[in-house]
């Protein structure tokens, strides 16, 4: 039986795209696909980064595609973020003036009791010529632009994320974060993972998915506060790996529970960045360069997030080559065959969409469905 893995990349408010993809994957009637491919594609393993960790946890916990779409259609900025309580009136005014053209709303300050922002040691110093008390009064003390207290409330009350339910799920859920002190990628999983060769539990995987650990995966540096968990401090997992393909390959060995490596694996990678093979013809219109600062920022961020995936995909294809050679030569099989299907938009999504949660989610859901259909029909189509 084929092991199925769904990888959900980070992207903040772009995450509604995931909901559209999941809706297509779980559709039991795909008329343009041949044979059994026309049925639902349900994942055994889910890997999520940042907003992908949020959607991934909901899917692992059993949310229906329809409910995930409803969640995104009802989501607004105040469900995710607000201004940190340490900001004073001048800073609040400036931040809202800067953000409103991008997100369309004015953000309120998060109450101290709900806040996730750590206290800053001193006032931010953009006005060094002024007395300290004026800086404290007008600017305040803060380390991050926005506070994720509302996101914590949304995870608990709207999505009803429950660590016990996740631990009991028959799906393996992996999320990742970045250790602020060391810069290393840290992996959290709802189930213990055992080394295929030694049979011992892997010490590099922290067992348990909690609301706090999902927040850790979503903690975009400088934009959102870092998240403390069990004595460590974390930033967004996308800082080091936005689409951690390697994690899913490692878990597949344990998921098979000692069965033969002849068992193939399908990996669906959902990303928010336009994608095409480097040796393929560049899509029409992609020869142009960024036309303004916003487009340049979007391209720079998306290409940086894509780099680690391209490298891992290259390694996976090399392993597939070795796997085929082993089978053809009748040698002992040490590599599993992995089929990677990439689902991605055809155009860039503006960088400001990362912190923008609004009625545009409906369009992103539609784009997700279209992108998933396009990728599956190209990969599994009858023709």
């Amino acid at each position: 039986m084929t092991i199925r893995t769904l990888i959900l990349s980070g992207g903040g408010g772009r995450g509604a795209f995931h909901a559209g993809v999941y809706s297509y994957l779980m559709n039991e009637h795909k008329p343009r696909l041949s044979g059994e491919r026309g049925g639902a594609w349900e994942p055994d393993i889910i890997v999520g980064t940042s907003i992908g960790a949020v959607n991934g946890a909901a899917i692992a916990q059993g949310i229906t595609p329809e409910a995930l779409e409803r969640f995104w259609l009802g989501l607004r900025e105040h469900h995710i973020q607000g201004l940190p309580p340490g900001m004073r009136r001048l800073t609040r005014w400036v931040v809202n003036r800067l953000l409103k053209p991008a997100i369309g709303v004015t953000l309120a300050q998060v109450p101290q009791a709900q806040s996730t922002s750590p206290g800053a040691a001193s006032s931010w110093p953009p006005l060094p010529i002024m007395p300290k008390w004026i800086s404290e009064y007008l600017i305040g003390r803060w380390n991050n632009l926005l506070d994720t207290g509302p996101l914590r409330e949304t995870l608990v009350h709207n999505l009803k994320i429950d660590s016990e339910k996740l631990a009991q799920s028959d799906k393996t859920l992996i999320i990742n974060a970045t250790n602020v002190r060391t810069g290393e990628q840290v992996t959290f999983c709802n189930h213990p993972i055992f080394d295929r060769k030694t049979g011992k539990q892997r010490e590099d995987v922290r067992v348990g998915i909690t609301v706090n650990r999902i927040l850790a995966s979503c903690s975009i540096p400088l934009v959102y506060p870092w998240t403390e968990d069990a004595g460590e401090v974390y930033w967004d997992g996308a800082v080091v790996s936005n689409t951690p393909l390697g994690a899913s390959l490692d878990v597949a060995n344990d998921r098979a529970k000692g069965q033969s490596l002849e068992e193939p694996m399908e990996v669906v990678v959902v990303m928010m960045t336009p994608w095409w093979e480097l040796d393929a013809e560049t899509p029409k219109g992609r020869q142009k360069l960024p036309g303004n600062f916003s487009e340049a920022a979007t391209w720079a961020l998306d290409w940086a997030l894509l780099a680690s995936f391209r490298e891992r995909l290259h390694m996976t294809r090399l392993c597939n080559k070795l796997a085929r050679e082993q089978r053809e030569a009748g040698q002992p099989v040490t590599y599993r065959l992995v089929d990677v299907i990439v689902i991605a938009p055809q155009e860039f999504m503006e960088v400001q969409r990362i912190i923008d949660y609004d009625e545009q989610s409906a369009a992103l859901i539609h784009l997700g469905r279209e992108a998933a259909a396009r990728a599956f029909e190209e990969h599994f189509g009858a023709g």
Side-chain angles (χ1 to χ4, degrees), residues 87-95 127 137-139:
M87 277 188 179
R88 295 296 177 255
R89 62 183 65 187
L90 176 61
T91 311
R92 294 198 300 268
W93 179 82
V94 170
V95 169
L127 302 175
Y137 179 74
L138 295 177
I139 298 170

Side-chain angles (χ1 to χ4, degrees), residues 216-279:
S217 187
C218 296
S219 299
I220 303 172
L222 304 182
V223 177
Y224 297 137
W226 57 59
T227 301
E228 295 187 30
D229 184 84
E232 293 292 346
V233 182
Y234 299 104
W235 271 333
D236 194 314
V239 172
V240 291
S241 182
N242 193 39
T243 45
L245 178 58
S248 67
L249 303 181
D250 295 338
V251 172
N253 294 326
D254 185 69
R255 182 82 188 189
K257 299 188 183 304
Q259 297 180 35
S260 170
L261 288 172
E262 291 290 352
E263 194 172 35
M265 183 178 182
E266 287 178 0
V267 180
V268 170
V269 181
V270 186
M271 58 179 62
M272 315 293 191
T273 302
W275 165 265
W276 65 89
E277 298 289 347
L278 291 180
D279 58 354

Side-chain angles (χ1 to χ4, degrees), residues 184-368:
E184 68 175 331
Q185 177 180 319
V186 179
T187 301
F188 301 105
C189 187
N190 61 334
H191 300 147
I193 303 300
F194 298 89
D195 187 276
R196 177 170 59 89
K197 295 180 179 179
T198 66
K200 295 182 179 180
Q201 184 173 330
R202 287 180 47 175
E203 295 181 356
D204 61 328
V205 177
R206 276 74 161 174
V207 180
I209 304 290
T210 63
V211 166
N212 206 50
R213 289 178 171 181
I214 294 172
L215 274 181
S217 187
C218 296
S219 299
I220 303 172
L222 304 182
V223 177
Y224 297 137
W226 57 59
T227 301
E228 295 187 30
D229 184 84
E232 293 292 346
V233 182
Y234 299 104
W235 271 333
D236 194 314
V239 172
V240 291
S241 182
N242 193 39
T243 45
L245 178 58
S248 67
L249 303 181
D250 295 338
V251 172
N253 294 326
D254 185 69
R255 182 82 188 189
K257 299 188 183 304
Q259 297 180 35
S260 170
L261 288 172
E262 291 290 352
E263 194 172 35
M265 183 178 182
E266 287 178 0
V267 180
V268 170
V269 181
V270 186
M271 58 179 62
M272 315 293 191
T273 302
W275 165 265
W276 65 89
E277 298 289 347
L278 291 180
D279 58 354
E281 183 180 354
T282 303
K284 185 178 180 180
R286 281 278 68 88
Q287 290 87 353
K288 70 174 185 177
L289 293 173
N292 52 49
F293 182 84
S294 177
E295 288 185 1
T298 299
W299 286 42
L301 174 64
D302 282 354
W303 291 154
L305 294 176
L306 187 61
S308 62
F309 171 71
R310 283 198 183 276
E311 180 180 359
R312 187 63 202 193
L313 180 61
H314 177 68
M315 292 299 298
T316 300
R317 287 172 173 170
L318 289 178
C319 290
N320 278 343
K321 181 181 178 181
L322 291 173
R324 286 189 290 269
E325 290 175 352
Q326 288 177 340
R327 287 160 174 77
E328 291 169 0
Q331 298 174 346
V333 175
T334 56
Y335 292 97
R336 188 186 307 279
L337 283 168
V338 179
D339 189 12
V340 180
I341 304 100
V342 178
I343 298 176
Q346 293 181 309
E347 300 293 337
F348 285 99
M349 301 179 189
E350 294 179 331
V351 68
Q352 55 263 37
R353 287 291 309 165
I354 290 176
I355 58 171
D356 191 12
Y357 296 79
D358 56 24
E359 61 275 2
Q360 293 187 52
S361 291
L364 289 174
I365 290 171
H366 179 70
L367 283 176

